[in-house]
Amino acid sequence: GGWIWPTLAGILSVLALFVVWFFRDPDHPLPADPAHVVAPGQGKVIVVDEVDEPTYMRGRCRKISIFLSIFDVHVQRAPVSGTVTHRVYRPGTYAVAWADKASEDNEQASLGFTTPGGRVLVRQIAGLVARRIVTYPREGDVVACCDRIGLIRFGSRVDLFLPLHWEVTCKVGDRAVAGLTVLARRPVAERETSRATERAAAGDGGHARETRA
């Protein structure tokens, strides 16, 4: 019987180390070009397509989906700088996150940003194992590119919706790192306007408050 407690202590220690590792949140340098659209989540790009998104984009747009396995960082980052003008939580099912129907049926939280070049939507989607979505900003908050915007726990998916005229620089199968990997670029004419948004966001401290969706 003397082996039970040491074994149990060892198992609990391993579980504790896994939790600490799972919730890691590394910092990355800010993108040098304000026209860059960075990945909102870390994982594998599984969809790059033109779709209809009626709830916030209000029409045809570009969709980029990233699947996050349990081995990926699960903190989400703002892909662009802008003002949060849409924040909606919707309960749903827990199908495997890489399935197409996960974007429609699974539990999800949507965060929309108004930018000088158009609207951008980030959708946090729970997966088979994930059971909690956390979204930090509220409507009206000014968010800077790469700011932390949320967390999905244990296996999930992040969908990113962009205006059609923005140039996509990624493809299906690419690996993305949240806040670091460039997925798209805004048109040249919009870059100078976006710099003013970057400066406004940088000067608006304390905007990202942790709240459960």
Side-chain angles (χ1 to χ4, degrees):
W3 58 270
I4 295 178
W5 292 112
T7 301
L8 182 60
I11 293 173
L12 292 176
S13 296
V14 170
L15 289 175
L17 289 173
F18 172 77
V19 170
V20 171
W21 172 81
F22 179 86
F23 288 108
R24 66 198 184 280
D25 184 14
D27 285 321
H28 300 297
L30 295 176
D33 190 339
H36 286 167
V37 180
V38 298
Q42 176 172 319
K44 182 179 180 180
V45 177
I46 58 173
V47 173
V48 178
D49 200 4
E50 182 179 330
V51 299
D52 277 311
E53 203 299 306
T55 64
Y56 183 70
M57 302 300 286
R58 298 177 183 172
R60 302 295 288 177
C61 60
R62 195 75 61 194
K63 175 182 175 182
I64 301 173
S65 298
I66 300 171
F67 171 69
L68 292 67
S69 76
I70 61 171
F71 303 107
D72 290 311
V73 174
H74 277 62
V75 173
Q76 283 77 62
R77 303 272 183 159
V80 295
S81 295
T83 302
V84 177
T85 53
H86 177 81
R87 187 180 189 272
V88 175
Y89 168 77
R90 196 190 77 188
T93 61
Y94 298 97
V96 289
W98 63 78
D100 288 340
K101 65 178 182 178
S103 290
E104 302 295 330
D105 300 337
N106 281 22
E107 177 188 8
Q108 55 192 255
S110 298
L111 204 61
F113 304 90
T114 297
T115 79
R119 295 184 171 199
V120 173
L121 178 66
V122 175
R123 183 162 289 153
Q124 302 167 281
I125 301 171
L128 182 65
V129 181
R131 286 297 185 271
R132 189 178 183 212
I133 298 174
V134 179
T135 306
Y136 300 151
R138 294 185 181 275
E139 286 192 47
D141 284 346
V142 178
V143 177
C145 183
C146 299
D147 276 357
R148 295 170 180 85
I149 58 171
L151 170 71
I152 317 172
R153 297 182 176 174
F154 303 112
S156 48
R157 172 178 179 146
V158 178
D159 287 349
L160 172 65
F161 300 86
L162 304 171
L164 282 177
H165 67 286
W166 291 15
E167 176 193 2
V168 173
T169 58
C170 66
K171 63 183 184 301
V172 172
D174 286 353
R175 288 284 304 175
V177 177
L180 183 63
T181 303
V182 178
L183 300 183
R185 291 173 60 86
R186 284 171 280 190
V188 174
E190 296 170 0
R191 296 184 193 179
E192 289 304 317
T193 310
S194 68
R195 291 181 189 274
T197 305
E198 293 276 359
R199 290 193 292 268
D204 183 48
H207 56 274
R209 298 178 293 273
E210 180 173 353
T211 56
R212 181 172 180 178

